Amino acid sequence: RARTDLSVSKYATLSQPDADPSVALPALTSSVTIKQPFYYVVEGENMGPGASLSRDRTGDSPNKGTGTVISDTLPAGLVVTGPVSWQKIGDTDGGALPSAVGSGTCAQVGQSLTCQLGDLNVNGKVRVIVPARWDNFPGAGNALSTSTRNTASISTEQLDPVPGNNNTQLDTAVTRAGLAGTVFHDSDRS
């Protein structure tokens, strides 16, 4: 088995990000309001020295197998508003490695997402996009805002010498929708 150091990071943005992991993300956010569409973004990278390869080399496994897997545990009550998709890029090392460019969708069971990415070559990157919103306030009582935690991880069928960067979490504030300002009274009712 190869030695491959995978890392994962997590972000939230109000604008739809480009699926290509080489394109910069739009402005990040640390808070959203009820009913406001936003996107969770999970990014994975193979820091090397070896490729994260699927052990099963048959069929579509190198492209969408269990060689590299991103798992995302979504906060309770979060609504996923569309397909959760991923795209990966990676160098073939002059043809020495199989193509590690591809895209696909993730499986969702309850609040758990699993994205089977197959091979992720050295310096390869992947971006998972989760379109989401909160329909109900996730906090208790009459608080105006609460913090939610989203966790994600990346794993390989190879040996990862630095497992400490395989997990991440993102705290996002969720604020109740409200009205503020001055109320005007039309005294002549016209």
Side-chain angles (χ1 to χ4, degrees), residues 62-153:
N63 292 323
K64 298 180 182 176
T66 57
T68 309
V69 176
I70 286 182
S71 301
D72 190 355
T73 304
L74 302 171
L78 182 78
V79 176
V80 176
T81 60
V84 178
S85 60
W86 58 264
Q87 183 172 330
K88 65 180 177 177
I89 58 172
D91 187 13
T92 62
D93 194 21
L97 296 171
S99 175
V101 175
S103 61
T105 57
C106 302
Q108 181 179 357
V109 177
Q111 295 304 102
S112 297
L113 293 174
T114 303
C115 309
Q116 294 184 344
L117 312 169
D119 297 350
L120 191 61
N121 292 342
V122 177
N123 299 320
K125 296 180 180 181
V126 62
R127 179 175 286 169
V128 178
I129 300 173
V130 183
R133 76 169 179 262
W134 290 97
D135 282 347
N136 298 301
F137 187 68
N142 294 325
L144 294 177
S145 181
T146 189
S147 183
T148 61
R149 177 161 288 171
N150 187 313
T151 60
S153 64

Side-chain angles (χ1 to χ4, degrees), residues 20-46:
D20 185 341
S22 66
V23 175
L25 288 172
L28 304 179
T29 187
S30 61
S31 66
V32 297
T33 59
I34 300 298
K35 303 283 187 184
Q36 180 180 27
F38 71 101
Y39 300 86
Y40 277 126
V41 179
V42 183
E43 293 190 328
E45 184 172 3
N46 182 349

Side-chain angles (χ1 to χ4, degrees), residues 168-181:
T168 190
Q169 62 189 28
L170 178 68
D171 292 331
T172 305
V174 180
T175 304
R176 292 181 190 272
L179 298 175

